[in-house]
Amino acid sequence: MARAGVAQLQQRLDGLLAYLQPYWDFLNCHMVNYLTDKHWISFVPEELRQELECEEDIQMAIEELFWTREQRESERFPNWSKHLRRGEQEHLKYFKDLITTLEELSGGNENKQQLSIKEFMSAKKCHEVELTASLVDRLIQRTGEAENIYIVDAGDGKGYLSSRLALQYGYRVLGIDANPANTENALERNRKLQRAWNGLTERADLESRGISPKCRDKQSSPKDVPSLQNYRTTARFITTDLNLNQILAEQFTEFSISPSSPICLTGLHTCGNLAATCLQVFHSQSQCQILCNIGCCYHLLKETFSQQEFFGNKSVMDLQTDCGFPLSRYLQNRQFRMGRNARMLAAQSIERTLNAKDLPNISLYYRACLEVLVCRHAPNLKNELQVGKVRNFKDFPDYIQKCGKKLEAKWLDDVHPDELQALVQDYSLDKHYLELFYLLRMTFAPALESLILLDRLLYLKELGYDRSYIVDLFDAVISPRHYAIIAFKS
């Protein structure tokens, strides 16, 4: 089992930061400025640019270096190969001394059989819920507190994880979500799932044994339906001041909840600051004995030392009283800042992109061309337009027309169609360079995510939680945010 201490984590962070140091401007650049600010010349090292002389070279580089992944040793692009190999060394999955496996965590003991229940959720969510619920059960069984423990699911959402823990594993679960509509939807979904539970579990069990189940009968199963009494929800915004023990007592009035009643604090894809807050709540509230957290939406993290931030979800950001990055004293003492664009990049999935051989949508190129028009016709708006998603356009003039309507920008309507056609023709070769630039930048995503996750693990280690771990839980192609932070108090 990975038992990395404070010094070892600091050393890993030092190496990671040394690698990233020359690239921070590149990692925080905005793709909309690719053409106007000449990103290819500004940020791509000269030794990489020299290996590309034409469009054919670009297409060949994408094929050899990205789509044909086993061919990292490219004779045609040796500098690119070297650059990409160096970056891969900073991916968390290769830090074997820091990653704990599920087998190591459970001591080789298997828990209840995982049931693949695909109804009421997507295949992605099914994958995540099954593995997370199984992991939470393993962690609780390991402590011997299964009969007494309460599970708090932070960022409960529609109740996917909490309802599985309550129905399949029989735990008492409280789902907490900031959105009152989510808590109501979670209860309604759980009621539907409860009514269908016996049939779904029987079907899943047969399928797991290679037996084709019979067509479903409309009649309900005669077996006892699981009770809803062990699952509750409440709408709260989670901060370190929120007393979980008090809320449990309010929600589970029929049980005797003492200040020492153990709590497992879990969360599946806790968004933005909520992941960091969960670590802080785990530390601040003594009854929290187990932590199991999978975070996401790094761009919504509130940074201590990053000043220039834009948040689309400002109403949620205004509720946040604590900063979520950096958490560790080690990075705080350095006054380390990451930047929103770098955090947004950390949430991108290079694994999915490579698996699907997926180049960026044409809208990214069109948005960069739009910024050229901004500089020509409305320079006061450079870096100011928030366009968002534009759908169902057939070409660049149509894209510009929809942007003008969406932004209520009459100056865009006045741009002559001939200028629009000339613009995309003039930058036609740049479109291909932009695609390679996009892929190159995305290769840094795993290293940036490693930085965020190692900061969280170091925070727990600094506080004395020796039994804290990082677990690689999900298939990275199915679920890009696939790392779980685990901690025990005793």
Side-chain angles (χ1 to χ4, degrees), residues 118-401:
K118 303 171 185 175
E119 286 76 6
F120 304 107
M121 66 181 105
S122 66
K124 173 181 178 291
K125 187 59 68 176
C126 179
H127 174 76
E128 295 164 350
V129 167
E130 286 173 8
L131 289 173
T132 307
S134 175
L135 173 58
V136 169
D137 180 52
R138 288 189 191 199
L139 301 178
I140 292 174
Q141 294 297 330
R142 179 174 172 175
T143 65
E145 291 282 3
E147 298 298 321
N148 305 314
I149 204 161
Y150 290 84
I151 297 175
V152 173
D153 184 8
D156 186 37
K158 295 183 180 179
Y160 294 116
L161 174 62
S162 50
S163 58
R164 178 64 68 91
L165 288 165
L167 285 171
Q168 181 178 346
Y169 294 93
Y171 291 114
R172 289 167 294 194
V173 186
L174 174 63
I176 303 180
D177 197 274
N179 188 341
N182 278 347
T183 60
E184 289 299 319
N185 291 336
L187 286 175
E188 177 58 28
R189 179 186 175 278
N190 198 66
R191 282 190 283 268
K192 293 178 181 178
L193 185 60
Q194 180 202 24
R195 289 194 293 269
W197 182 254
N198 288 330
L200 294 176
T201 53
E202 289 172 2
R203 182 181 184 86
D205 179 58
L206 290 173
E207 289 177 341
S208 70
R209 290 185 281 145
I211 303 172
S212 298
K214 297 178 181 179
C215 293
R216 296 179 193 172
D217 196 325
K218 292 184 180 179
Q219 298 297 319
S220 60
S221 172
K223 294 183 179 178
D224 292 336
V225 176
S227 171
L228 265 178
Q229 297 307 306
N230 59 340
Y231 176 48
R232 311 289 166 81
T233 65
T234 185
R236 308 286 180 95
F237 191 86
I238 298 177
T239 68
T240 51
D241 296 326
L242 192 65
N243 189 317
L244 297 183
N245 193 270
Q246 180 180 333
I247 296 174
L248 285 168
E250 293 170 358
Q251 295 296 322
F252 291 96
T253 55
E254 68 274 32
F255 297 106
S256 177
I257 300 177
S258 70
S260 60
S261 294
I263 295 173
C264 170
L265 179 59
T266 189
L268 174 54
H269 289 155
T270 46
C271 187
N273 247 39
L274 181 55
T277 301
C278 284
L279 271 66
Q280 293 166 325
V281 169
F282 170 77
H283 171 62
S284 65
Q285 304 196 22
S286 60
Q287 67 273 30
C288 286
Q289 294 296 308
I290 305 172
L291 172 74
C292 178
N293 185 270
I294 301 105
C296 69
C297 302
Y298 301 134
H299 61 291
L300 292 177
L301 277 171
K302 187 174 182 179
E303 279 199 62
T304 305
F305 304 107
S306 182
Q307 302 303 319
Q308 295 182 347
E309 298 280 332
F310 170 80
F311 297 103
N313 198 351
K314 193 174 185 303
S315 60
V316 173
M317 296 305 301
D318 288 342
L319 293 172
Q320 296 181 354
T321 57
D322 301 312
C323 290
F325 182 86
L327 285 179
S328 67
R329 291 193 303 271
Y330 190 65
L331 291 187
Q332 286 182 2
N333 290 340
R334 292 186 174 198
Q335 297 189 4
F336 179 78
R337 68 173 293 273
M338 194 169 180
R340 180 179 182 271
N341 285 347
R343 297 196 315 273
M344 184 172 285
L345 181 57
Q348 300 298 311
S349 174
I350 186 65
E351 293 90 354
R352 274 190 174 181
T353 297
L354 296 179
N355 184 71
K357 298 184 178 181
D358 194 14
L359 289 174
N361 188 282
I362 189 68
S363 62
L364 186 65
Y365 168 61
Y366 284 170
R367 178 62 184 88
C369 290
L370 169 58
E371 199 68 9
V372 174
L373 292 175
V374 170
C375 291
R376 289 179 183 176
H377 299 279
N380 59 305
L381 295 178
K382 187 177 188 296
N383 299 327
E384 295 295 326
L385 290 185
Q386 300 294 329
V387 177
K389 291 184 179 180
V390 180
R391 305 179 189 277
N392 303 320
F393 53 85
K394 61 180 183 291
D395 52 23
F396 183 58
D398 190 31
Y399 173 85
I400 292 299
Q401 183 181 42

Side-chain angles (χ1 to χ4, degrees), residues 373 376-377 395-398 400-401 411-425:
L373 292 175
R376 289 179 183 176
H377 299 279
D395 52 23
F396 183 58
D398 190 31
I400 292 299
Q401 183 181 42
W411 66 269
L412 271 179
D413 297 332
D414 295 336
V415 178
H416 197 279
D418 289 346
E419 182 180 356
L420 299 181
Q421 293 292 354
L423 180 63
V424 291
Q425 289 176 8

Side-chain angles (χ1 to χ4, degrees), residues 106-126:
S106 61
N109 296 324
E110 292 297 323
N111 59 346
K112 297 177 184 178
Q113 178 185 359
Q114 293 179 30
L115 296 177
S116 181
I117 298 174
K118 303 171 185 175
E119 286 76 6
F120 304 107
M121 66 181 105
S122 66
K124 173 181 178 291
K125 187 59 68 176
C126 179

Side-chain angles (χ1 to χ4, degrees), residues 18 50-51 100 102 157 181 301 400 405 412-413 432:
Q50 288 177 345
E51 293 184 347
T100 299
L102 288 174
L301 277 171
I400 292 299
K405 185 176 181 180
L412 271 179
D413 297 332
H432 301 289

Side-chain angles (χ1 to χ4, degrees), residues 23-78:
Y23 301 109
W24 284 115
D25 289 341
F26 168 49
L27 300 175
N28 275 297
C29 76
H30 207 307
M31 290 296 294
V32 303
N33 302 123
Y34 176 81
L35 297 175
T36 56
D37 293 356
K38 297 180 172 56
H39 281 354
W40 182 262
I41 300 298
S42 300
F43 296 123
V44 179
E46 183 178 2
E47 64 270 19
L48 301 188
R49 300 200 311 270
Q50 288 177 345
E51 293 184 347
L52 303 165
E53 298 178 353
C54 60
E55 179 184 340
E56 183 180 352
D57 287 345
I58 298 171
Q59 301 300 336
M60 188 182 299
I62 292 174
E63 180 65 33
E64 283 193 18
L65 299 167
F66 293 95
W67 300 163
T68 312
R69 283 171 284 171
E70 65 273 10
Q71 205 169 328
R72 277 296 197 213
E73 295 291 341
S74 171
E75 295 181 2
R76 177 67 182 83
F77 308 104

